[in-house]
Amino acid sequence: MPKTTPAPQPCAPDAPSSPHPEGVTNDEFRAAMSRLAAGVCLITAHEPPLTADGPRGEDVGMTATAFMSVSLEPPLVLVSVREGSRMDDLLAEQPLWGVSLLAENQLQVAGRFSMKGRISDRLLFADLACERGAASGAPLLSGALATLECRTTSRVPAGDHTLVIGHVLTASFPSPDARPLTYFRGRYRHLLP
């Protein structure tokens, strides 16, 4: 007689799992969420003023994996930014920003903009091939899978982060056939062939 696998049992509505007395720990939460594979993007903005003579402030960038589309009509996206970070402070005063969806050959860019205690943003952008977005003034990475320019429509405090929702103003596709860079279990990874 062939072996059979028992059918999965439905969750009983009257038998909830018993949570940790004080809720999930930071380590448990981090470990669980690390198993959610995510795309990687570079969020950029330009410190005002951006004048007719060209940029006068400094470009600011951060690596993000907590990025998602929210709505098609109107086209909205959301990025989670650490509360009190330079990007959070900048986006509180500057509503225009850019997004570059990173290709797998841009792993070094992701690492560069996610380092703790990193060097100045001016040096981080110094040798990167970027184009300045016409709608946002933000640097958009050449060779990205796609780039977006956004205008903030709302900011929502969420624990130690701010959820920034932006209306997408432009979309372009510098390297549409490239493969994406992903983040899984605490590491940037290439997709398997």
Side-chain angles (χ1 to χ4, degrees):
M1 186 170 196
K3 284 189 174 182
T4 59
T5 304
Q9 298 299 310
C11 293
D14 57 349
S17 62
S18 7
H20 187 279
E22 298 185 18
V24 68
T25 67
N26 288 352
D27 289 343
E28 290 168 336
F29 181 62
R30 186 178 291 111
M33 296 312 299
S34 76
R35 283 147 173 86
L36 176 63
V40 184
C41 58
L42 179 65
I43 306 297
T44 54
H46 189 80
E47 287 182 325
L50 185 65
T51 67
D53 298 331
R56 299 277 188 216
E58 187 170 291
D59 293 323
V60 177
M62 64 166 256
T63 303
T65 55
F67 175 80
M68 61 181 283
S69 64
V70 174
S71 167
L72 187 60
E73 291 292 338
L76 298 175
V77 292
L78 176 151
V79 64
S80 180
V81 179
R82 181 173 293 280
E83 183 183 35
S85 66
R86 186 167 183 200
M87 184 63 77
D88 186 39
D89 293 343
L90 176 54
L91 293 184
E93 64 172 283
Q94 158 64 288
L96 298 171
W97 43 286
V99 182
S100 298
L101 306 181
L102 299 186
E104 68 179 357
N105 64 349
Q106 294 173 319
L107 184 145
Q108 290 183 338
V109 173
R112 176 188 294 196
F113 284 90
S114 63
M115 290 186 302
K116 292 182 179 177
R118 64 190 197 187
I119 59 178
S120 78
D121 283 89
R122 187 179 309 278
L123 293 175
L124 290 175
F125 281 100
D127 62 347
L128 286 186
C130 294
E131 294 183 16
R132 195 155 300 277
S136 66
L140 303 172
L141 199 59
S142 301
L145 295 172
T147 61
L148 307 171
E149 293 182 89
C150 307
R151 176 185 298 276
T152 300
T153 60
S154 59
R155 293 169 48 86
V156 181
D160 57 5
H161 279 65
T162 303
L163 305 181
V164 181
I165 299 172
H167 185 276
V168 178
L169 305 173
T170 69
S172 61
F173 309 93
S175 298
D177 297 325
R179 289 155 47 101
L181 180 64
T182 60
Y183 190 72
F184 180 67
R185 297 192 76 170
R187 291 179 51 203
Y188 298 115
R189 299 173 186 261
H190 302 148
L191 290 180
L192 295 174

